[in-house]
Amino acid sequence: MTVFKSQRVSYYYFVLALLLFGLQVLTGLWLAANYAFTIPQGIVDIFHFGTARSFHTNLLVLWLLLGFMGGAYFMIPEETNSELYSPKIAYIQLILLALTGVAALIGFSFGWTQGTPLLEIPPLLDILVVIGALMFLFNIGMTLIKAKERTVISWTLLAGLLFLSLLYLFGHPFYKNLSNEFYWWWWVIHLWVEGAWELITASIMAWIIIKVTGVDRAVVEKWLYIEIGLFLFTGLVGTGHHYYWIGTPEYWYWWGGIFSALEPLPILLMVWDTYTHIKDRKNEIINPVVWTYIIGSAIVHFVGAGIWGFAQTLPQVNYFTHGSQVTVSHGHLAFFGAFVLINLTIFYYAIPKLKGIERFKSTLGLWGFWITNSFMFIMVLAFSAAGILQSYLERKMGLGYMTAQAEMQFWFQVVLVCGIVFFIGTVIIIYDLLSLKENKAEA
Amino acid sequence: MSIKTAKIIFWVGSMISMLILIILTFDSMGQMAVRTKEKNLSEEVVAGKKIFRKYNCNDCHTILGIGGYYAPDLTRVYRRKGAKYIESVIMDPENTLKNSFRKMPKKYAGGYEVTPEEVKKMITFFKWVDGIDTNNWPPQDHKEKTFGGNSFYQNNSAGGTNDLTLLKRKGCIDCHKIRGTGGTYGPALDGVGSRFNLQEIRKIIKEGKGNMPGRDISEENLQTIGNFLIKQKGGQK
């Protein structure tokens, strides 16, 4: 059972997020097919790769943000020991964001786009996104103001969400100079994933760890401070690893290289402190799935964002890998480990509570976890193989782009097969989460 | 460690980094105006940029290495392919990319087609982008001077700068195949010596032919490439 009635709003955020997750993976399969095979001109003229890509990435951002928002609506009442300021605002905001999302996808298909990679949503719809974000921040902010208890976790979560909303604005003025445009573009993309989103992830992680392990809040919050401090210390100047080749000065080699080489540290710290908290747990393991997702999230976060990121962050390496499939490999594993798994963790923690389930059957949840994780990892290895080939053939040997792509095509076919299996895992997870029942047999 | 120490670490760490980022951003903005040759940033270039966004080009192509990885990077497309090729591939992708296993739309989302005036504006935009100082990125377009100022293209082949190496360095094999390596946009170069005489080969390289752009090339390199190609005899297509 949930402690507060208003936590209920989060359920609808989770359901919508899950459905969009399925759709996002499905569009990913289409993208992989575009790489693996020749798509005839007739289809390209109706629905080209670029449109499909804008679906894939915007759906990703939309569902992750809906998951974070739902997560916040679930956590904040318990953290502040009070009901949400207004569940009504939360529902209106969800409807607004859902409609904006639908309008954006339909718009993309008909050429209504801002044309900026990852930030394709046109200005008019952006206003709706901003209104949705303001409603959310107002709601959470007012809950905090009216509450008696304000914890480090609540502050971190609110700071992350506020930071996220502010940064979004940098991507939207029209810049005449392409280099300037991309300079600020990275303030959205990089400072989201290595700043704001990490604050949100870290606070959700800390909160769930307190809830499931029962370890001392003071200890968890202390480490939370150090982790987010390190995330921001390395991540802010670490933006510089995107400023090597876009018309920016050469000194970014040093600032970007050194600071971003330190970026894996806070994630490593997170793995370590998750491990110790779980080892020192005071509670028994009731639902193994939740524990599996917590540990999985910490580890894949480190491998995808930390190791795969570090592998190409130094300018000597990045000179050859920038804008290649190596970037794609890192992008997939980092997003999956850092943000998809933390979302699924909070879903698996919160949805049973929202449905009044204490103990649920873990078979499907674990199958879903292992299928998605294994095949995501193989897929990332295939992307990496393609990326290394591309870096070598195109950038080092000087072969033409398509000549190099022809050599890489086998690996794209591997990606497609992995993607199909990954999709099956996704469907299992979605089905499982939406059909959880009390497990009387093991109780 | 106490929570107080942790708090101090957080505030000091994040504020120092924020401060460095802001200072470097101010400095970068000043330097970028020079490095991107902002004085050449005309209204036509801006118009071209808007058209580049209108057709969502950037979700298949990267430019400055940013965007979709499905199609070639466009940072140096102007020097790589020339205006004529750019126009041909945008206006008539079906024929220009007949031999390519990856296609480019003729009609974009919503059924829109690029107009000839729009292509002209986009070419102006690409020409301006070509002038941005990118620290010699991408490597394959800066074969004379790559990372750190030196070139690895000069010493990665036993043959030095003659024959095949030069064909690679000059980007011929982006489009043409020779001895099984190279692109498929243009005809293979095996047997080219049986189809043209030296005079014709030199003329084609300098002035272009069909969709092939002409090249600014030194007499020395022209001689090396010409003499190499004329020796490629045989019955290829």
Side-chain angles (χ1 to χ4, degrees), chain B residues 103-145:
Chain B
K103 306 294 178 193
M104 180 166 162
K106 167 80 179 155
K107 290 193 177 106
Y108 288 81
Y112 299 107
E113 289 185 32
V114 186
T115 66
E117 297 79 56
E118 288 180 327
V119 175
K120 282 209 176 60
K121 287 177 185 150
M122 264 199 280
I123 290 171
T124 325
F125 169 62
F126 291 135
K127 193 175 171 183
W128 174 79
V129 172
D130 191 32
I132 297 176
D133 180 352
T134 58
N135 292 334
N136 301 325
W137 192 91
Q140 68 270 34
D141 295 303
H142 298 267
K143 289 173 181 155
E144 311 298 334
K145 211 176 172 196

Side-chain angles (χ1 to χ4, degrees), chain A residues 90-169:
Chain A
Y91 285 121
I92 298 172
Q93 177 214 336
L94 178 65
I95 294 167
L96 176 75
L97 289 176
L99 290 178
T100 312
V102 172
L105 294 189
I106 295 173
F108 294 160
S109 321
F110 290 95
W112 192 29
T113 168
Q114 188 174 267
T116 327
L118 309 183
L119 303 176
E120 290 90 347
I121 296 180
L124 193 64
L125 291 179
D126 273 328
I127 296 173
L128 296 181
V129 175
V130 170
I131 293 173
L134 286 176
M135 288 169 77
F136 172 73
L137 290 171
F138 174 73
N139 208 358
I140 296 287
M142 284 305 285
T143 313
L144 274 175
I145 288 170
K146 291 183 79 176
K148 288 183 190 72
E149 287 171 45
R150 289 184 279 267
T151 60
V152 178
I153 291 182
S154 316
W155 283 124
T156 310
L157 186 63
L158 183 69
L161 294 162
L162 193 67
F163 192 30
L164 179 159
S165 309
L166 287 175
L167 288 169
Y168 186 65
L169 303 175

Side-chain angles (χ1 to χ4, degrees), chain A residues 14-32 47 51-64 66 98 101-106 108-109 419 422-428 430-431 434:
Chain A
F14 296 155
V15 172
L16 184 61
L18 275 170
L19 297 177
L20 296 176
F21 175 34
L23 197 59
Q24 186 228 338
V25 178
L26 210 54
T27 57
L29 294 184
W30 172 248
L31 297 180
F47 190 64
T51 313
R53 184 182 188 264
S54 58
F55 273 45
H56 187 60
T57 52
N58 281 273
L59 279 166
L60 170 77
V61 174
L62 183 59
W63 89 257
L64 290 178
L66 287 175
V102 172
L105 294 189
I106 295 173
F108 294 160
S109 321
F422 182 92
F423 179 65
I424 295 170
T426 312
V427 173
I428 292 174
I430 297 171
Y431 171 80
L434 296 183

Side-chain angles (χ1 to χ4, degrees), chain A residues 14 17-18 21 24 57 59-71 118 157 160-161 163-164 167 188-205 208 228 231 235 263 267 270 293-306 330-348 369 372-373 376 422 429 433:
Chain A
F14 296 155
L18 275 170
F21 175 34
Q24 186 228 338
T57 52
L59 279 166
L60 170 77
V61 174
L62 183 59
W63 89 257
L64 290 178
L65 288 183
L66 287 175
F68 284 151
M69 287 171 171
L118 309 183
L157 186 63
L161 294 162
F163 192 30
L164 179 159
L167 288 169
V188 188
I189 309 304
H190 174 93
L191 291 179
W192 262 14
V193 296
E194 260 149 302
W197 291 32
E198 290 286 12
L199 295 190
I200 299 169
T201 299
S203 62
I204 295 178
M205 195 77 163
I208 293 203
I228 58 175
F231 269 127
E263 277 175 9
I267 321 178
M270 223 158 129
Y293 274 92
I294 294 173
I295 299 166
S297 172
I299 293 174
V300 185
H301 186 174
F302 177 68
V303 177
H330 162 57
H332 278 79
L333 199 58
F335 263 92
F336 181 71
F339 307 124
V340 174
L341 286 177
I342 193 71
N343 259 298
L344 294 178
T345 308
I346 187 130
F347 296 173
Y348 266 110
F369 175 86
T372 49
N373 276 274
M376 173 53 81
F422 182 92
I429 291 172
L433 275 168

